[in-house]
Amino acid sequence: MFRGKKYIESAKLVDRAKLYSPDEAMNVVLQTAKAKFDETIEVHIKLGVDSRHADQQVRGAVVLPHGTGKKIRILVFAKGDKAKEAEAAGADYVGAEDLVSKIQNENWFDYDVVVATPDMMGVVGRLGKVLGPKGLMPNPKAGTVSMDLTKAINEIKAGKIEYRLDKTNIIHCPFGKASFGTEKLYDNFKTLLDAVIKAKPAAAKGQYLKSVVITSTMGPGIKINPSAI
C-alpha cells in the first residue's frame, strides 16, 4: 500500500506498541495532523458486544461541549405549523412527500442529518432502504424523531452527534477538528466516551471497551488504553 511522505513522517511520531493515555493521545494526534486543511479528528471504538443481537445494540446521541467544527446541513420532514417551526429554527431543507420523490428520483443527499416529526415517519419509512445504509434514517433514540423541532435542530447545530454500532461491533465518530487544540478535543472525547459507556447493554458480558483508536483524517491511528478511560 502506497503511503504519502506526510503520513510516513506522522507515523514516526506514534509508538505502535504503546497504549496512550487519553490526554497523551490528544497531543500526539495533533502532531500527526500535517495536512494543509483543518483535519477532522475521529475515534474508532471496538466494543465487546455482538451487534447481531437486538439486546446488545449500542446507539444514541450526545451533544459535544465544543461542537464538531463542521457546518451541519439539516433536512426536516414536517407539515403545516411544524414545517414553519423547522424553517424558523434554521433547518436547511423542509418538506414532505416532495422531498421523498426528490431523494428517490434524483439520488439527492446534500444534507448531513434528517429529522422528522412522528406523524411523518410513515412517509419517511419509504426511504428506509436509501437512508438506512447511510445512517440517515430518523430515530427516536438519536432525538431525530421529535415534535420539538426547535430543540432537535438547536442541539444538532450545537454539536449533537449520533453514535451507533456497525456490523463489526465498532463505533466510528468524529469528535472535533485539529484546530480545536488538545483541551477542547479531550473534553469532546470524554463526553462521547462517557455516553458510550453509559449505553452499555445489560446483556454485554466481559470487557466492554475492547479497543479505542483516534486518528486525524490523513494520519495514523493512535491506540488509547481502554482502562485509562
Side-chain angles (χ1 to χ4, degrees):
M1 187 183 197
F2 174 76
R3 296 288 194 187
K5 192 168 85 174
K6 284 183 180 173
Y7 180 95
I8 292 166
E9 283 175 15
S10 294
K12 289 175 185 172
L13 300 169
V14 180
D15 182 348
R16 297 186 70 82
K18 180 176 178 179
L19 290 176
Y20 289 84
S21 67
D23 49 348
E24 269 185 313
M26 299 307 143
N27 283 317
V28 177
V29 79
L30 291 184
Q31 290 170 34
T32 66
K34 295 177 180 289
K36 289 179 181 173
F37 61 93
D38 190 8
E39 293 186 52
T40 296
I41 310 299
E42 51 194 53
V43 62
H44 307 276
I45 310 160
K46 186 165 181 65
L47 298 179
V49 296
D50 188 342
S51 62
R52 292 173 299 178
H53 299 291
D55 63 351
Q56 293 189 44
Q57 285 294 330
V58 179
R59 181 175 189 174
V62 62
V63 178
L64 299 178
H66 305 289
T68 61
K70 180 184 176 187
K71 185 186 181 303
I72 304 294
R73 300 164 300 173
I74 304 171
L75 181 153
V76 177
F77 285 96
K79 283 183 174 178
D81 288 344
K82 284 293 162 186
K84 289 175 188 169
E85 181 188 337
E87 286 169 0
D92 298 274
Y93 309 100
V94 183
E97 284 87 352
D98 54 322
L99 290 180
V100 173
S101 55
K102 183 176 172 68
I103 292 166
Q104 286 175 329
N105 300 332
E106 299 174 30
N107 211 21
W108 176 61
F109 294 107
D110 293 342
Y111 41 87
D112 306 292
V113 180
V114 180
V115 177
T117 52
D119 58 306
M120 290 301 296
M121 284 308 290
V123 174
V124 181
R126 304 207 297 263
L127 295 168
K129 287 182 180 174
V130 186
L131 296 180
K134 291 182 178 289
L136 289 169
M137 196 67 185
N139 183 283
K141 279 188 180 177
T144 46
V145 176
S146 175
M147 284 302 284
D148 192 345
L149 294 177
T150 303
K151 181 186 176 193
I153 291 165
N154 286 343
E155 282 186 345
I156 291 164
K157 287 185 177 287
K160 185 179 192 177
I161 59 163
E162 185 180 353
Y163 57 86
R164 59 187 297 191
L165 213 55
D166 70 7
K167 287 177 183 173
T168 61
N169 305 316
I170 299 174
I171 289 171
H172 310 271
C173 260
F175 65 95
K177 295 280 189 180
S179 59
F180 281 21
T182 52
E183 283 186 26
K184 287 183 179 179
L185 283 175
Y186 179 79
D187 286 348
N188 279 1
F189 173 83
K190 189 172 184 311
T191 301
L192 173 59
L193 265 290
D194 284 350
V196 171
I197 290 166
K198 277 183 188 161
K200 180 181 179 180
K205 298 288 184 280
Q207 188 181 354
Y208 181 54
L209 293 179
K210 290 274 190 183
S211 72
V212 179
V213 178
I214 65 169
T215 177
S216 59
T217 306
M218 307 294 285
I222 297 149
K223 297 173 188 169
I224 293 177
N225 185 354
S227 62
I229 294 168

